[in-house]
Amino acid sequence: MDDTALHATLAEAAAQWHDSTMARDVSFFDHLGALMAQERDAEKARLSALAQGLTLREREEQGLSLLDLEAIEEDVGLGGRILITLARADRRPLPSRLSNGDFVAVFPRRAEVKEPARALVSRATSTRLQLAFDRAPPPYLHEGLLRLDIVPNDVTFERTRAGLQRVKGMDKGTERRRREVLLGNEPPRFDTARDFTPTRPLNPEQQDAVTRALAAEDFFLVHGPPGTGKSTVLAEVAAHAVARGERLLCTAASNAAVDHLLDLCLGQGLRALRVGHPARVAPRFQEHTLDIVVEEHPDRVISRELFDEAFGLFGYARRQRDQGRSRERFSNARASTAEAKDLMDEARKLEKQALRSVLARAQVVCVTLASLGSGILAGEEFDRALLDEATQATEPLALLGFLRAPKVVLAGDPQQLPPTLLSQEAARAGLGVSLFERLLKDHGDGVKRMLREQYRMNARIMAFPSHEMYDGELRAHPSVADRTLADVLPSSEGLDLPPVLFLDTAGKGFDEEVEPTTNSLFSPGESDLVLARVKALLAAGLAPRELAVITPYGAQARRLREAVEPLSPEVEVDTVDAFQGREKDAILVSLVRSNGEGQIGFLNDLRRMNVALTRARRHLFVVGDSATLSGHPFYARFIEGTQTDGGYRSAWEWPDAV
């Protein structure tokens, strides 16, 4: 199909999607697949554009390559994978941080090879990288310095594409009906609600959400605005589902969200198992990962011994071939290789038995959506799935949960961050709309429960986002409504601490600047003001772990992090996108945008700003330029609100940053 035809097809499918009165057919899943392909192509194009014309050192600065690495350790992992640990030759920290699961190509540093070795990052720290190779890596990995390049990861795309085809193929009996529910052509079913005794106090909305989620025969939506106890609801659903004899799947798009679900289940005393490499799991949960638990199984102990013996035989066979071409050496090498392969087969069989045994004992399995298609979970079945942060997952990814369980509870908030996409064309054509949002649009409010009482924010911090994003329906629980930062400071004398403080930089000349290598924006003037505020709060005795600095722009986050870390590494500095689901007593927000044209870029995405404004429990400090921001009604109302409530300050009257 040429580009013109593809765009026409996407436009037609997008129009069908937007018309909620039109019954969808299975071509809708093909439409989603085409959008996923667009997104994959956009990611490849981004990496290619970043790398174009760069020297190796510039590639390293951009996080596209790592140079001057050497192999320092070798081990055998599950499935006989070869694990090789790399570090800088000078043992200094790595200049860029790769993530577990990244795909990489490994080259000799100063030689040419036709085909680089390819591997998966299985463990990443600030100074070391452990790579997993499916087959024996080439000798050059142990013969000198290495260069490592990040390459596009198609695994998630391929698993998602295969998943869409499986959903499309649900064409018989109950599966067909479930598919029609997902397409919006059939209503979801609910069993008769059953009374239950909660494990902790619940407010009426939480109680109703748990009741209806447990009664759902197809799906149910839990809408959890910031601080309203979505986690409490999910923990209750998990506990009571397992008590009724159900086997539970807990999943989400991000590792952090899956770890959170694991924490909830462990807190309920459930036998929960985390599937995923331990390096991708928070340290305190690693003992619950499949990789760690299975190591103690007797079959796995024997399989490791067999793997070690097999690799010893492979090494012997290689040495026999290297030493000459005599008939005897050839015969020895062939016999050793055959024996090694038999040992490998037996080792993998025992390892598979160990994995199945450990998985069978788990009442709850916690895993990312992208890993649901991994071979480890082949054949595993579940009665119900909990899908957290569902509004941050693309629809094709979220649908993978429905292939694993007949009943799915989706929890999220469509007024917070949407799925992260590079292709704006794909986003506009429907990929930017989560499955949570589409199911709500198709089936109406009867399939969801919105939680309205929040347990996080001072009422004045809550007021603006409640009015703007939730029709004024949020209410602050009495335990948090009046709490302030002064309540937790040893001394707040001389500190200006209203619950919400907007510091206006209009007229100060703090124009935004562009970082040349990334085109991201930053503001040195705002950075100075934020840094001074960090110093003042820490000096007043605020615990560093209860203070965070967030900003919409990566370049600003990097500069602020470099400035704040010497003061206290416990003060978190990150982008808004990385802070969803988090909270602190005090949050400092740098908006960055300041220009004569009134351009605010992706600050136009009010869901991102909703996240920024709802992270603070006791004190929200926002720095921005009213002259630039007030052209947008949302920001104009926010600034006007701070003026009305006594939280507006001008940077002209503010103490100079030092």
Side-chain angles (χ1 to χ4, degrees):
M1 181 182 296
D2 61 27
D3 287 346
T4 302
L6 173 61
H7 291 308
T9 301
L10 292 178
E12 180 181 352
Q16 177 181 332
W17 179 85
H18 285 294
D19 184 357
S20 60
T21 63
M22 181 184 294
R24 295 189 189 88
D25 59 30
V26 293
S27 66
F28 177 71
F29 300 115
D30 295 327
H31 165 62
L32 290 177
L35 297 183
M36 286 293 294
Q38 273 188 290
E39 175 64 14
R40 179 195 56 173
D41 291 345
E43 170 63 13
K44 289 183 175 180
R46 183 187 72 89
L47 285 175
S48 177
L50 277 174
Q52 192 169 12
L54 298 181
T55 66
L56 285 179
R57 288 298 175 191
E58 288 171 336
R59 284 181 60 90
E60 188 171 52
E61 290 171 3
Q62 292 296 312
L64 300 173
S65 298
L66 286 175
L67 305 177
D68 301 324
L69 302 172
E70 64 180 5
I72 58 173
E73 291 178 7
E74 184 169 342
D75 198 2
V76 180
L78 285 174
R81 291 174 299 173
I82 308 297
L83 305 177
I84 295 183
T85 300
L86 307 180
R88 288 276 293 262
D90 56 14
R91 299 300 185 265
R92 294 177 60 195
L94 300 174
S96 64
R97 187 75 173 267
L98 294 183
S99 299
N100 302 303
D102 283 345
F103 277 88
V104 295
V106 187
F107 304 80
R109 176 69 172 89
R110 304 187 187 281
E112 296 292 331
V113 291
K114 290 184 178 179
E115 185 67 28
R118 304 211 172 235
L120 187 74
V121 176
S122 60
R123 187 182 300 275
T125 71
S126 61
T127 58
R128 293 182 168 202
L129 286 176
Q130 185 185 71
L131 305 183
F133 294 84
D134 288 333
R135 57 176 63 93
Y140 65 73
L141 261 82
H142 299 283
E143 294 174 353
L145 296 181
L146 304 167
R147 162 190 160 194
L148 185 150
D149 289 355
I150 297 176
V151 296
N153 180 358
D154 278 347
V155 171
T156 297
F157 169 76
E158 294 298 341
R159 287 175 178 172
T160 306
R161 182 171 64 177
L164 286 171
Q165 291 306 305
R166 287 179 60 197
V167 175
K168 181 180 176 181
M170 294 165 62
D171 203 32
K172 296 180 180 178
T174 57
E175 282 202 341
R176 181 183 179 88
R177 201 202 67 80
R178 287 176 58 219
R179 188 188 70 188
E180 292 304 302
V181 170
L182 289 172
L183 286 170
N185 301 330
E186 292 280 349
R189 300 168 305 167
F190 289 85
D191 196 359
T192 302
R194 294 158 57 182
D195 291 335
F196 70 95
T197 302
T199 65
R200 69 190 77 186
L202 302 177
N203 65 42
E205 290 146 356
Q206 292 171 337
Q207 180 100 9
D208 183 58
V210 175
T211 300
R212 295 170 67 187
L214 290 169
E217 290 293 306
D218 296 296
F219 74 89
F220 185 68
L221 309 178
V222 179
H223 180 188
T228 54
K230 171 171 63 74
S231 296
T232 298
V233 170
L234 292 176
E236 287 294 312
V237 173
H240 294 284
V242 171
R244 295 178 183 184
E246 294 184 6
R247 191 171 189 229
L248 195 63
L249 171 68
C250 286
T251 188
S254 72
N255 279 286
V258 175
D259 283 350
H260 181 59
L261 287 168
L262 173 66
D263 194 21
L264 297 179
C265 293
L266 293 173
Q268 293 284 13
L270 306 180
R271 292 196 307 276
L273 189 68
R274 176 71 158 91
V275 174
H277 197 284
R280 306 197 74 167
V281 178
R284 66 193 181 102
F285 299 130
Q286 289 184 1
E287 64 182 291
H288 301 285
T289 60
L290 176 62
D291 284 40
I292 299 298
V293 175
V294 79
E295 288 297 329
E296 299 179 2
H297 193 280
D299 286 343
R300 171 58 178 156
V301 173
I302 297 172
S303 78
R304 279 193 70 91
E305 294 173 355
L306 293 177
F307 277 128
D308 288 342
E309 189 176 347
F311 282 112
L313 287 168
F314 279 131
Y316 172 76
R318 186 168 56 249
R319 289 192 298 275
Q320 287 291 302
R321 294 190 185 96
D322 291 344
Q323 290 171 3
R325 295 181 174 273
S326 71
R327 180 172 298 182
E328 181 181 2
R329 288 197 179 98
F330 179 76
S331 177
N332 290 340
R334 184 171 57 185
S336 296
T337 300
E339 185 178 356
K341 288 180 178 178
D342 289 342
L343 289 172
M344 292 281 281
D345 289 342
E346 180 63 20
R348 289 193 176 103
K349 180 180 177 182
L350 287 169
E351 185 178 85
K352 187 175 182 179
Q353 289 176 191
L355 289 169
R356 296 276 83 79
S357 175
V358 170
L359 282 165
R361 288 193 66 255
Q363 295 170 318
V364 184
V365 173
C366 303
V367 61
T368 60
L369 286 162
S371 295
L372 284 174
S374 68
I376 288 176
L377 292 177
E380 296 294 320
E381 296 181 356
F382 303 90
D383 300 298
R384 191 182 305 268
L386 304 186
L387 201 175
D388 198 9
E389 302 293 0
T391 47
Q392 281 193 280
T394 62
E395 175 165 351
L397 200 58
L399 284 170
L400 298 179
F402 284 83
L403 291 170
R404 288 294 185 165
K407 308 170 186 178
V408 181
V409 178
L410 298 91
D413 180 8
Q415 297 303 324
Q416 295 190 61
L417 290 172
T420 300
L421 297 171
L422 290 173
S423 171
Q424 293 309 301
E425 183 178 3
R428 287 190 296 269
L431 197 59
V433 178
S434 67
L435 179 61
F436 184 110
E437 294 170 275
R438 186 178 66 75
L439 290 175
L440 179 58
K441 180 180 179 182
D442 286 350
H443 296 288
D445 286 342
V447 298
K448 79 152 188 180
R449 165 51 97 171
M450 178 177 166
L451 309 177
R452 291 178 172 82
E453 189 163 57
Q454 64 87 18
Y455 300 81
R456 175 186 299 167
M457 295 168 275
N458 175 290
R460 287 167 66 185
I461 298 175
M462 177 201 74
F464 181 75
S466 175
H467 179 270
E468 293 289 326
M469 310 301 288
Y470 304 103
D471 297 324
E473 294 189 42
L474 299 189
R475 59 186 185 273
H477 188 269
S479 64
V480 304
D482 299 317
R483 64 184 184 183
T484 67
L485 196 59
D487 298 336
V488 296
L489 293 180
S491 172
S492 59
E493 186 177 350
L495 270 180
D496 195 357
L497 291 176
V500 181
L501 192 159
F502 177 70
L503 183 56
D504 188 358
T505 66
K508 292 290 286 184
F510 291 170
D511 288 357
E512 66 202 42
E513 299 181 28
V514 180
E515 188 175 68
T517 53
T518 65
N519 292 321
S520 183
L521 301 179
F522 65 97
S523 169
E526 284 194 15
S527 294
D528 290 342
L529 291 172
V530 170
L531 184 61
R533 188 64 168 179
V534 170
K535 291 177 179 177
L537 292 176
L538 293 178
L542 179 62
R545 65 181 179 278
E546 288 299 343
L547 174 61
V549 179
I550 59 178
T551 175
Y553 291 93
Q556 183 78 337
R558 284 188 288 276
R559 281 163 170 74
L560 283 166
R561 191 178 298 116
E562 290 173 1
V564 170
E565 274 191 353
L567 300 177
S568 174
E570 289 187 90
V571 176
E572 291 189 63
V573 182
D574 219 324
T575 61
V576 176
D577 293 35
F579 223 80
Q580 179 157 320
R582 312 287 306 288
E583 58 185 81
K584 299 283 184 179
D585 277 348
I587 295 287
L588 314 184
V589 183
S590 172
L591 296 180
V592 177
R593 299 311 299 257
S594 179
N595 56 73
E597 297 76 33
Q599 297 296 317
I600 62 171
F602 58 58
L603 265 64
N604 279 298
D605 186 346
L606 302 184
R607 292 170 295 185
R608 177 174 280 108
M609 191 46 51
N610 185 38
V611 172
L613 298 179
T614 55
R615 302 304 97 197
R617 301 187 193 106
R618 301 170 183 272
H619 179 61
L620 173 66
F621 178 89
V622 182
V623 183
D625 179 353
S626 65
T628 299
L629 298 170
S630 292
H632 193 293
F634 176 92
Y635 296 96
R637 289 191 294 268
F638 172 72
I639 295 167
E640 289 167 7
T642 61
Q643 292 170 335
T644 301
D645 291 342
Y648 174 88
R649 308 287 185 269
S650 170
W652 288 98
E653 303 166 348
W654 195 254
D656 288 337
V658 292

